[in-house]
Amino acid sequence: MLWNSLTYTGWGRVKTATGPVARPERVSSLRAALADDPGPAIGNCRSYGDACLNDGGPAVKMVRLDRMIGFDETTGILEVEAGLKVGEIARVFAPRGWLPTVMPGTGFATVGGCIANDVHGKNHHGAGSFGQHVTEITLMRGEQATKITPEKDPELFRATVGGLGQTGVIVSAKLQLLACKGDVMVVTERRIDGYEEFIEALDASKATYTVGWLDATAKGAALGRGILEEGETDYGLVPPKKSSKSVPFNAPRFALSRPVVKAFNNAYFRRIPEVGRTSVKPIQDYFFPLDRIHDWNRLYGKAGFIQFQCVVPVDGVRGLKRILEKIAHSGLASPLAVLKRMGPGRAGMMSFPMEGYTLAVDFRAGKKASKLIAELELMTAEAGGRVYFAKDATLDASHVGAMYPELAEFASIANKIDPDGHYETDLTRRLKIRKAV
């Protein structure tokens, strides 16, 4: 198996790793790579921090193992290799009346990455997390491949889903797809004038898919104002496809200065009429709006960005409001701020979701942002919430045990399966996840 020494980074570009990377194209090549020099699997490196990094050690990049193995039209079960992008599944199957039941905010995420992080989407309040719709996983450790299911191997399955790749390399999986009307989304957008109103609107929504954009610069009575999007799949003519754009260079610092962000957010809020509006969009544009802007992470400049994403329980809404107030008064927020309602669904011991509300805000990387995020993480812990590993680059290891109460059980399983720590990553070492026994 051919290994190349590469320097690679997470999507936020604040963490980098250098080490030998293999890119197998067949399962036999993957087996040879793991026998030669076992290391964690990585995908398209769309996690923002260091979940996808193994600095100084080997990594197996799975993106060439991206085949569709088989599909059962009667049950909607699709078997795929782990390197297949979730957006490709949507592109192929939406015109046939099927969608991945849960989709994250980017179509570039691989199926293996979606399982390892137990990702959530705009329909978590109704459909739960990605791993709840996985019916079988093929794991490989060394040269041995094993098929596991939630019924026959419940403990190992729950340690694998959301388990950050610590139980072995995910080779392939069977996914339960969701029947849909077609590859068109009917989207209703309406302005929400403040935080309490936004929470009420999310709780009252009956839509299959909901997501809120927040103006994270707004203060006082306008705190938490934003736009609520509610979507449903439908039949109909697909709108003309918009051309993709790219960010050709790192943006200068003034591009995300406080006055620029405030002006942009004000304009973006007011682009929706007071009475709201309904439009028709291609499915890809609704679920993966930023994917049409290639290399959009360059907008944050050469230093990169850090995303803070937390979830707090239903009774933690006051704590979440204080978090939003802290962000608004910092003057550090970017235009990317998202609020969603989450249901109780989660498939793994280390899965992020809990019933409540999740807030995600991007910040240009720097000392001020790091200090602010450390305070936000503490406030999240005090509110009974947790931080999302797939977006994290800064969390203090001392918070992990309280945020993830099944940590010790997970660590025990991972250490038993992988006693030599071959599948550890920079994130699991930084957060001492495997030492919690």
Side-chain angles (χ1 to χ4, degrees):
M1 185 67 208
L2 182 63
W3 295 82
N4 293 308
S5 182
L6 298 176
T7 296
Y8 54 105
T9 181
W11 187 245
R13 303 199 301 165
V14 294
K15 303 275 188 176
T16 61
T18 299
V21 177
R23 298 189 184 207
E25 295 186 9
R26 294 287 188 272
V27 173
S28 58
S29 300
L30 172 63
R31 185 176 288 110
L34 295 177
D36 182 29
D37 197 1
I42 60 176
N44 259 340
C45 295
R46 286 292 172 135
S47 51
Y48 287 16
D50 51 1
C52 59
L53 307 182
N54 188 30
D55 191 30
V60 181
K61 196 168 179 65
M62 298 290 288
V63 293
R64 292 177 178 174
L65 283 162
D66 62 350
R67 297 165 185 82
M68 297 184 188
I69 299 170
F71 180 60
D72 188 328
E73 292 274 3
T74 59
T75 63
I77 292 180
L78 172 68
E79 185 174 9
V80 300
E81 291 181 326
L84 183 65
K85 295 188 288 290
V86 70
E88 182 66 8
I89 299 175
R91 185 191 69 81
V92 171
F93 282 93
R96 298 168 62 176
W98 298 95
L99 276 177
T101 303
V102 173
M103 289 185 283
T106 174
F108 291 115
T110 62
V111 167
C114 288
I115 294 171
N117 291 283
D118 197 18
V119 299
H120 56 277
K122 296 178 175 69
N123 61 342
H124 186 273
H125 56 287
S129 65
F130 191 92
Q132 291 180 277
H133 307 281
V134 176
T135 63
E136 182 182 278
I137 298 171
T138 300
L139 278 177
M140 185 174 286
R141 296 187 293 274
E143 299 182 64
Q144 181 181 1
T146 306
K147 295 183 184 296
I148 63 172
T149 69
E151 295 80 21
K152 294 181 179 179
D153 315 277
E155 188 177 70
L156 180 55
F157 196 90
R158 291 185 64 243
T160 298
V161 177
L164 303 166
Q166 299 304 292
T167 62
V169 172
I170 298 170
V171 181
S172 60
K174 290 183 179 180
L175 313 177
Q176 176 64 67
L177 300 190
L178 175 70
C180 67
K181 291 183 177 179
D183 55 356
V184 166
M185 294 295 299
V186 177
V187 182
T188 298
E189 298 170 282
R190 54 192 169 106
R191 287 191 204 173
I192 307 293
D193 292 324
Y195 178 76
E196 281 79 12
E197 185 182 346
F198 221 129
I199 295 297
E200 290 175 4
L202 286 170
D203 288 345
S205 177
K206 303 298 182 184
T208 302
Y209 300 97
T210 61
V211 62
W213 169 84
L214 291 183
D215 177 1
T217 68
K219 304 174 187 175
L223 180 80
R225 74 172 183 173
I227 296 166
L228 178 65
E229 290 186 8
E230 298 172 294
E232 303 288 349
T233 60
D234 207 344
Y235 297 104
L237 295 174
V238 178
K241 186 176 180 180
K242 298 178 181 178
S243 60
S244 297
K245 300 178 181 179
S246 63
V247 180
F249 52 81
N250 295 317
R253 288 195 64 84
F254 70 79
L256 286 176
S257 64
R258 187 181 307 192
V260 170
V261 171
K262 188 172 183 178
F264 175 89
N265 283 6
N266 187 58
Y268 193 81
F269 176 73
R270 299 191 182 285
R271 71 184 176 86
I272 303 299
E274 289 187 14
V275 295
R277 72 179 183 188
T278 299
S279 60
V280 178
K281 298 181 179 182
I283 272 180
Q284 300 271 350
D285 286 2
Y286 177 73
F287 287 108
F288 319 127
L290 288 175
D291 283 359
R292 289 192 296 106
I293 308 173
H294 299 303
D295 299 317
W296 62 261
N297 52 355
R298 291 178 176 173
L299 291 169
Y300 293 91
K302 188 176 181 179
F305 74 98
I306 304 170
Q307 184 178 102
F308 167 75
Q309 182 166 5
C310 69
V311 60
V312 300
V314 173
D315 61 5
V317 290
R318 290 184 180 178
L320 188 62
K321 184 177 182 179
R322 288 193 290 270
I323 288 171
L324 196 55
E325 288 172 338
K326 188 82 172 178
I327 293 170
H329 284 89
S330 75
L332 298 175
S334 77
L336 290 177
V338 174
L339 180 67
K340 288 185 288 194
R341 180 69 160 86
M342 303 194 91
R346 61 196 299 263
M349 298 174 183
M350 301 298 287
S351 297
F352 168 72
M354 68 166 63
E355 185 163 17
Y357 309 91
T358 179
L359 172 69
V361 185
D362 287 357
F363 301 91
R364 184 200 298 273
K367 291 181 179 179
K368 290 182 179 179
S370 295
K371 181 182 177 185
L372 170 66
I373 292 172
E375 294 172 351
L376 300 179
E377 290 165 352
L378 179 59
M379 294 169 73
T380 298
E382 291 172 345
R386 59 174 64 116
V387 168
Y388 192 17
F389 293 138
K391 305 295 182 66
D392 175 58
T394 62
L395 183 63
D396 190 300
S398 65
H399 294 313
V400 178
M403 291 181 173
Y404 290 87
E406 294 177 273
L407 174 62
E409 182 182 359
F410 169 78
S412 178
I413 294 170
N415 288 330
K416 183 178 180 180
I417 288 173
D418 178 34
D420 297 321
H422 289 306
Y423 304 118
E424 287 238 53
T425 65
D426 289 2
L427 180 140
T428 63
R429 286 187 289 267
R430 171 173 60 87
L431 296 181
K432 299 180 174 61
I433 286 175
R434 297 275 293 270
K435 296 186 182 301
V437 291

